[in-house]
Amino acid sequence: MRLKTKEELQEILINHKKWLNISGGKRAYLRGADLRDADLRRANLIGAYLRGANLRGANLRGANLTETILDGLKL
C-alpha cells in the first residue's frame, strides 16, 4: 500500500473513531501501509488493522494500540 498523505490518514482516523463510537465510519484498515515518519501521537487505534505496515520513524507516543492487529510490522 502506498504512503498515506496526512489528509488521507486523518480521514481514516476520523472514520475509525466513528466506527469505535458505533456512529458510522469504518475500521482503520492499513494493511501494508507505508506510514514512515507518520504523526500518530495520541491516535486512537483500538482494533485497527496494521498488519505488515511500515511504522519506521512514526511517532506513536500516547497512541492507544489496544487490540490492534500488529503482525509483521516494520519498525
Side-chain angles (χ1 to χ4, degrees):
M1 181 179 279
R2 66 182 171 75
L3 176 68
K4 294 291 183 184
T5 65
K6 288 180 183 181
E7 293 78 19
E8 288 174 315
L9 187 54
Q10 186 64 29
E11 185 68 25
I12 288 169
L13 295 175
I14 288 168
N15 280 317
H16 187 71
K17 185 175 182 179
K18 289 178 184 176
W19 176 77
L20 288 169
N21 292 324
I22 311 171
S23 59
K26 67 179 188 175
R27 181 183 193 178
Y29 185 84
L30 294 162
R31 181 180 183 165
D34 186 349
L35 300 171
R36 283 178 288 180
D37 302 317
D39 183 1
L40 295 169
R41 287 176 292 175
R42 295 179 298 282
N44 188 347
L45 295 168
I46 295 172
Y49 193 89
L50 296 172
R51 180 171 279 147
N54 185 347
L55 291 170
R56 286 189 179 114
N59 187 342
L60 293 163
R61 177 175 238 119
N64 189 338
L65 300 171
T66 304
E67 297 181 24
T68 301
I69 298 167
L70 301 169
D71 305 13
L73 283 182
K74 296 175 185 142
L75 298 173

